Every structure is written in structure tokens, then in C-alpha cells.
Amino acid sequence: MTLDMSYEAVMGRKNEIMKKAIGIDYTGFESGGISFDYERMMKEAGYSLEEIQNIQGETGVGNTPLLEMKNITALARKYAPKGKGARIFVKDEAANPSGSFKARRAATAVYHAKKHGYKGVIAATSGNYGAAVASQAAMHGLECIIIQECYDSRMIGQPEILEKQRACEAYGAEVVQLTVGPELFYTFLCLLEETGYFNASLYTPFGIAGVETLGYEIAQQFRDRIGSDPDAVVVTNAGGGNLTGTARGLIKAKSEGTRIIGASVDLSGLHMASDHDFNRKSFTTGHTGFGIPFATWPDRADVPRNAARPLRYMDRYLLVKQGEVFYMTEALAVLEGLERGPAGNTSLTAAFVLAQEMDMDQTIVVQETEYTGAGKHPMPQISFAKQNGVEVLFGDPDSEVPGKNIVFPDDPGSIKLREFDLEKARRSYIRNSVAKCGVTGEVSAEDVSFLAAETKTDEGFVRSVLADL
Amino acid sequence: MEQARKGDWVQVRQTVLTPEGRAPQVPDDTKKTPLLLWVKGFAQSDGKIGDDITVETMTGRKVTGELCAIDPRYVHDFGDFVPEFLKVDVQLKKLMKGEVAR
């Protein structure tokens, strides 16, 4: 019998395909209502911190350098009130084998796939994760397919994504490229079904647990060098896995006083699935187009229960502009001698301003950098933006309109932070949970307590939101 | 010219969904376009650009599509020079002149 490969038929087989491709029975963690046992899922379906340190250590992942940004700190102090200007550190994750922190996630996913006898791995990603999975698959001798949303309908590709295609192919992977659209998921399902490969999703328990070592290392390196825990860790936020894993690692290191701050590039107004808008954004990740939808409804991911749940851990969520991040990418190169990014420098940009609010003896960690090169570099990104009709100018970063212009700050002092209202995000998450889980009657006590943990609030807050629905 | 021989490394294109078959949640501008797919592999037969041919991909899959490139080159680079970055660099160096912390 030949399988019906129509869009509707394949989407209809989604649960069955996914179960085979991930090998986790998520129903065992479900309560039947809104809640599921997140911690038990992380424990039983994931790996312990020590196991992950060993898995990553085998392939040279992790233990990246912690660098102090003395010159960027000195620059920040020029704009800070007296006594302010916290010390900024950067965790140089570009030192990982595939050039980004994503190697940590890929290391556990590919190890898991091999251990369970899968012949290959598939990941749907246009970013650093593809290169990370391809690199790990090469190390473990598994086949690898990376699916990218890459081109607009004119077959014009984002330079950064084209570079990722090259990197994946350099590691021996097959790269399947698509035009813009959420139906990428259909192709993804078809390929999983055709090959029987493992779904190396970014959002499995072991994928997220792979990032815990990053948070744990930060705490250890700080205690060794500074003799204290960092006051704040700033995380570039997109799908939420980087933030979730880092925060969990810090908690495992008992660094509970460290504030976890998310930062995204503000791309408001651009539609992520629009053929027209696709090549008018100069960041392919770390932006609000992923950050906000994934924070307010994590289970939109390619697994039934997303292990990345950023609202559980986030203390503040800050937005910066594209032009500001490009400016700080230059600062990292000319003042610190580090050519990195640009997307990973979103958190550096936020840290530069945040430092000005914090005392001089306090510390901030920017917890990632990423490799840079042809395509994935400020020059091709800005040059591409200009070719696509985006105006590049100097001025007030707040006048930047994503897709229309990129405004470089006329002075580092005009780089600002824009607070994303976390209470609004939490309300939106609770609303989405009730709607998506189809709860019509009263929300159970168990679900209220789950929603409080999910939003880092209390039952009183959850009940007040529920009462307003 | 523009002729692939069996065994050449080529790129093929497939139409996954026609504009009529796009998912309902897709924005209007995207809905006017088909969902296209590109993949590379070893040509399983000779063919000209525009012909339907089958390739064997790096993972050993057989995929049939319209031949669109032979030995496809990577087209991304460092782009055109962006003078705005020079202005930023000069500004930063001037601001920090004589104050480098190390």
C-alpha cells in the first residue's frame, strides 16, 4: 500500500510520525488538563548534568572561555551615572566545534539518536543549530539532513542562511531548502517518514538539558575567577531554549541570586511567514518574531511538549534595535579584538546599557558569541539589506522601522533598552494555555499551580488572570 | 554548456505546494507563490537545465526535480563595502583613544 503523501494526510499522521522520530512518549507526563510534569520529563527523558558534561566532553563541546570586556565596560562607564557601570563578561561560545552554543544542544540530541539506533538525524533550522547537528552527526558517523527556510519566491536567499547551508554541506550533510512558509513542517514530516531518522528537535528534554552545562560553567568560572556568582546573565532569546537551559544550569550550580535577562532584536511589524518581509530583516534569529510567540506559547514547537519554557526563568525581557546590535558588533571587533556574531551580539547590546544601570562592582555575563564569516557578518547583512531597499542611516535608534530602515545610533549613548512587559507575556501565556488545551470549565488547582510555575508568578496572579478571561 | 552528465553534482528544484495548495494561515503575499524546494545530489542521468532528472542526495535519497544548477557555487560573500561601519569604527576608536583598559 502506498502512503497518501498529500498535505492533509501527512499532517494527519503527525503524532504517529513524531512519536517514532523522537522516541519519547510525552503522554506519560501529561495530567490530562493544562499541566504536565515538566521536571519529571526533564529528569526521565533527559540526561543528568554529569552525563551531559561527559557526552559534550567527548566531542570537544563546552568549557568555552569567559572573557572580560574591559574596553566595552570602560565605554559603558562614560555614559553611566557616577558609581555605575557593571563589569561585562562574555562567554565565548564561538569556541565550540561548530562555532556556537548550539553545539551543546546538538551534542546531546545526536548522542541520543545514536544510542537508540537511529541511522541519521533531521533538524529543521536555518541557523547555527543546523551546522551544530551536521558537525555532531559527522563526529558520530550518522547521516544528517538539515531543512532550511532559505529563499523568497525569487530564489534570493538570506546571506546568513546561505552560509549555514555551506557549513552543513561542509560537514557532509544533505541540505533541503525551501521558500518561506510554515508548510516547511510538512516537508519535515515527509522526510522523517521517508528516512526513519531521528528528529533532532531543538526542543527535546535532552536538547535543552544540553544548554544546562553553559549556565553551570558560568557559575563555576565566576567563582574561580571573581569569587562570586554573576549578578546578571543576559541571554539572546528566540525559541527560549538558550535561556531555559542556561537558567537551569545556574540553578543546578546553586547560583540562584543571578538575574536572568532575555534580550531580543525588535522586528515588530515584519511578518515571519511573508514572502515580501523575509529578506527585509537583517536578523534571522534572536528576534521578537520568535521570542514573543515562543515565550507566550512554547508548545508551538515541533515536539508535543517543548522543554524550552523561558517564562519559568526570565526576570526581565529587553528589546534592542537592529542598528544597535550592528553598532555593538563593531565595538566588539574594534575595542575588544573579537570578530563575532552579529546575531549573538543581541545580548551584548542589552548588557552594554544594562551595565549603565548597575553598580560598578556588579557583573553581567553575555552568555554567548557565535562564529562570523562570509554571509554571516555585518557587512553582507547590511549590504543585503540595502539591496532589498532597506535604508541605512545614523540617528535615534527608536526611529528604526524594521523592514524600512536600519538606524545606527549616532553615539553609543543613544543605545537604549526597551522593556518588554513580562506581565503581559505571562497573561498571554495563561490565556493561550486555556485556549489551546480546550479548557472550558473551571481550571483545576493542579493547573493553577502549574501555570504559576510556568510564569514565575504565584497562584493569586494566575487566578486573577483566569478571572479576567 | 548547461548540460549535466550522469554523476555530476547538481541542484534540482521541486514544487512542493502550488499557490492553491498553501496552508490557510499563510499571509496573502506568500499565498500567491508556490512552496519550492531545492536539494543537491549526484545526477542519475544526463540532462539539460530545465529537464526533470533524478539525483541521489548525500544521504542516498533519490529525488526527482527540475535541474537548475550544475556544480552550484556558493553565492554568499562579504557583500559590498559598507562605509557606515567605518564611521562607527572611527567614532569608537576616537571615544576610547588613550583609554584602552588593558
Side-chain angles (χ1 to χ4, degrees), chain A residues 45-78:
Chain A
Y47 293 93
S48 72
L49 187 77
E50 197 183 356
E51 284 171 313
I52 291 174
Q53 285 169 330
N54 290 333
I55 292 166
Q56 293 177 341
E58 284 292 316
T59 50
V61 172
N63 286 314
T64 53
L66 179 75
L67 309 172
E68 183 163 6
M69 301 291 102
K70 289 190 176 172
N71 296 329
I72 289 181
T73 301
L75 182 68
R77 285 178 180 167
K78 285 183 181 290

Side-chain angles (χ1 to χ4, degrees), chain A residues 151-173:
Chain A
Y151 296 112
D152 66 13
S153 57
R154 304 167 299 162
M155 203 193 170
I156 305 288
Q158 277 269 356
E160 194 176 357
I161 303 176
L162 295 175
E163 159 53 18
K164 238 52 73 65
Q165 171 201 25
R166 186 209 57 79
C168 292
E169 290 181 350
Y171 295 126

Side-chain angles (χ1 to χ4, degrees), chain A residues 247-295:
Chain A
R248 291 179 60 85
L250 283 160
I251 292 166
K252 286 192 176 174
K254 306 215 178 327
S255 179
E256 276 135 352
T258 302
R259 283 187 309 148
I260 305 294
I261 297 165
S264 295
V265 175
D266 184 0
L267 287 191
S268 50
L270 289 179
H271 195 304
M272 293 306 130
S274 160
D275 184 57
H276 173 270
D277 291 355
F278 183 67
N279 281 330
R280 279 173 182 76
K281 56 183 191 290
S282 297
F283 283 80
T284 56
T285 188
H287 58 66
T288 50
F290 292 135
I292 294 168
F294 271 88

